[in-house]
Amino acid sequence: ESSLNVLWEKAIPIGGSQWKLSGLADNYLRVCIYSSVPYHNQIMSVYITGVRNGELVGEFTPGNPGT
């Protein structure tokens, strides 16, 4: 797996206490992740696990507030 630093730009509520976070990695690729916290304007490290609908998807790396 590869990890990227991502600046979270927006958090979209998707029901319950879940959010879809969308942001740009330091290489300007769009990254999305699902979280229970609506992070915004924060940089976090993300493991990239795949591609869905033209966006990179992943999960928080250990040590991030989202884990």
Side-chain angles (χ1 to χ4, degrees):
E1 295 181 344
S2 178
S3 64
L4 295 171
N5 289 322
V6 177
L7 171 62
W8 299 120
E9 297 179 311
K10 61 180 162 179
I12 302 165
I14 57 172
S17 62
Q18 287 294 305
W19 299 82
K20 178 183 178 184
L21 305 182
S22 178
L24 287 179
D26 46 11
N27 59 5
Y28 299 103
L29 293 175
R30 177 70 51 194
V31 178
C32 291
I33 196 171
Y34 295 92
S35 173
S36 60
V37 179
Y39 294 109
H40 182 263
N41 203 28
Q42 294 182 9
I43 297 173
M44 296 180 181
S45 181
V46 172
Y47 280 124
I48 302 305
T49 58
V51 178
R52 186 179 311 134
N53 298 325
E55 301 172 319
L56 297 175
V57 292
E59 56 191 41
F60 290 114
T61 59
N64 276 317
T67 57

